[in-house]
Amino acid sequence: MQAALDLQSGILHAADEKDFKTAFSYFYEAFEGYNSVDHPKAIVALKYMLLSKIVLKVPEDVASLLSGKLALRYSGREVDALRAIAQASIKRSLADFQQALVDFKSELEDDPIIKCHMESLYDTMLEQNLERIIEPYVKVQIDHVAMCIGLPREKVELKLSQMILDKKLSGILDQGAGVLIIFDESKEDKTYAAAIDTIASLSKVVDTLYQKAKKLT
């Protein structure tokens, strides 16, 4: 059945190549195919369509997809779970995201495809929230960051350390003082770059003059 092939192709693009734009197209085709014969897997294809939009960072598209006549046939907790995740993503709210994971635990964990990407989405949202909290500071208490984000200090400290190692955050952790020190991003020395360009231009002029001088002798 073509719908089954489309669904599998979408899963492969999402899992192996992380190409959710192409995956969405396959999921859409699978959804239409399954829906045309009232196959129970239509809801699976629809869920993956919604997941693709969230991962592609266009969670606002979820609402428009769920307003269509076809999608309305498949309303229920499975769809509501992805809707809640989309709303949390729009608000960039880690608290709402975590609440959705609790409220729709079965719907978001029973499907291994969705569960895998929920973990990735949580990690991304955690990083975004930490960046937002520390943005105004050059030095900030780790306890303060943990209080703001509502997570244990140990978990926050571990995540900040990982972000520094992954070069997603420029700074150091002073564990003795319990603070995070944020560095200014190094800026390119434009004067140096301009000097290099000037030398290169002068070199071309000298070469041209040399060639003209050779022709005169």
Side-chain angles (χ1 to χ4, degrees), residues 129-157:
N129 275 258
L130 286 172
E131 288 169 354
R132 177 176 53 81
I133 291 168
I134 66 178
E135 188 177 11
Y137 302 99
V138 293
K139 181 187 287 188
V140 60
Q141 291 284 336
I142 298 171
D143 284 337
H144 174 72
V145 178
M147 181 186 68
C148 289
I149 204 165
L151 290 173
R153 175 201 164 111
E154 294 76 15
K155 186 169 184 176
V156 170
E157 191 170 341

Side-chain angles (χ1 to χ4, degrees), residues 93-163:
S93 171
L94 190 64
D96 287 356
F97 189 93
Q98 290 176 302
Q99 190 60 50
L101 293 179
V102 172
D103 293 343
F104 299 97
K105 181 178 175 65
S106 175
E107 290 78 9
L108 296 173
E109 290 189 0
D110 288 352
D111 186 318
I113 303 294
I114 291 178
K115 181 181 179 180
C116 172
H117 291 292
M118 286 302 105
E119 292 169 357
S120 176
L121 283 169
Y122 174 83
D123 200 51
T124 299
M125 191 169 288
L126 175 56
E127 289 179 0
Q128 289 175 341
N129 275 258
L130 286 172
E131 288 169 354
R132 177 176 53 81
I133 291 168
I134 66 178
E135 188 177 11
Y137 302 99
V138 293
K139 181 187 287 188
V140 60
Q141 291 284 336
I142 298 171
D143 284 337
H144 174 72
V145 178
M147 181 186 68
C148 289
I149 204 165
L151 290 173
R153 175 201 164 111
E154 294 76 15
K155 186 169 184 176
V156 170
E157 191 170 341
L158 182 63
K159 185 59 185 175
L160 289 172
S161 178
Q162 181 187 333
M163 290 171 68

Side-chain angles (χ1 to χ4, degrees), residues 11-23 55-56 116-117 120:
I11 291 171
L12 289 173
H13 275 82
D16 295 340
E17 300 180 29
K18 308 296 184 185
D19 181 2
F20 276 90
K21 190 172 183 179
T22 303
V55 175
L56 286 168
C116 172
H117 291 292
S120 176

Side-chain angles (χ1 to χ4, degrees), residues 1 7-8 18 53 55 74 78 100 103 106 108 119 142 149 152 173-175 188 197 204-205 210:
M1 187 178 183
L7 185 64
Q8 192 59 40
K18 308 296 184 185
K53 289 297 185 180
V55 175
Y74 301 97
E78 289 182 285
D103 293 343
S106 175
L108 296 173
E119 292 169 357
I142 298 171
I149 204 165
L173 284 169
D174 185 339
Q175 293 178 319
E188 183 182 359
D197 289 340
K204 290 179 182 178
V205 171
Y210 177 73

Side-chain angles (χ1 to χ4, degrees), residues 22-214:
T22 303
F24 176 83
S25 299
Y26 279 115
F27 293 144
Y28 180 79
E29 293 296 327
F31 174 69
E32 289 205 319
Y34 282 131
N35 179 73
S36 66
V37 294
D38 292 323
H39 196 286
K41 278 206 169 182
I43 185 67
V44 176
L46 176 59
K47 288 193 301 179
Y48 293 170
M49 285 167 59
L50 303 180
L51 175 66
S52 297
K53 289 297 185 180
I54 296 168
V55 175
L56 286 168
K57 298 183 179 179
V58 282
E60 57 275 8
D61 287 358
V62 167
S64 59
L65 284 172
L66 293 179
S67 64
K69 291 181 180 179
L70 287 178
L72 288 174
R73 293 178 58 185
Y74 301 97
S75 60
R77 282 188 59 83
E78 289 182 285
V79 169
D80 289 344
L82 275 301
R83 194 201 308 270
I85 293 295
Q87 285 300 314
S89 298
I90 290 170
K91 293 164 63 178
R92 294 184 179 180
S93 171
L94 190 64
D96 287 356
F97 189 93
Q98 290 176 302
Q99 190 60 50
L101 293 179
V102 172
D103 293 343
F104 299 97
K105 181 178 175 65
S106 175
E107 290 78 9
L108 296 173
E109 290 189 0
D110 288 352
D111 186 318
I113 303 294
I114 291 178
K115 181 181 179 180
C116 172
H117 291 292
M118 286 302 105
E119 292 169 357
S120 176
L121 283 169
Y122 174 83
D123 200 51
T124 299
M125 191 169 288
L126 175 56
E127 289 179 0
Q128 289 175 341
N129 275 258
L130 286 172
E131 288 169 354
R132 177 176 53 81
I133 291 168
I134 66 178
E135 188 177 11
Y137 302 99
V138 293
K139 181 187 287 188
V140 60
Q141 291 284 336
I142 298 171
D143 284 337
H144 174 72
V145 178
M147 181 186 68
C148 289
I149 204 165
L151 290 173
R153 175 201 164 111
E154 294 76 15
K155 186 169 184 176
V156 170
E157 191 170 341
L158 182 63
K159 185 59 185 175
L160 289 172
S161 178
Q162 181 187 333
M163 290 171 68
I164 291 170
L165 289 172
D166 292 342
K167 300 188 184 304
K168 294 178 179 178
L169 176 62
S170 181
I172 59 169
L173 284 169
D174 185 339
Q175 293 178 319
V179 298
L180 169 69
I181 301 168
I182 300 104
F183 301 146
D184 286 334
E185 294 294 333
S186 56
K187 298 178 180 179
E188 183 182 359
D189 190 338
K190 295 182 179 179
T191 305
Y192 176 77
I196 294 296
D197 289 340
T198 302
I199 292 169
S201 298
L202 286 172
S203 179
K204 290 179 182 178
V205 171
V206 171
D207 288 344
T208 302
L209 290 174
Y210 177 73
Q211 293 300 325
K212 287 182 178 180
K214 282 182 67 177

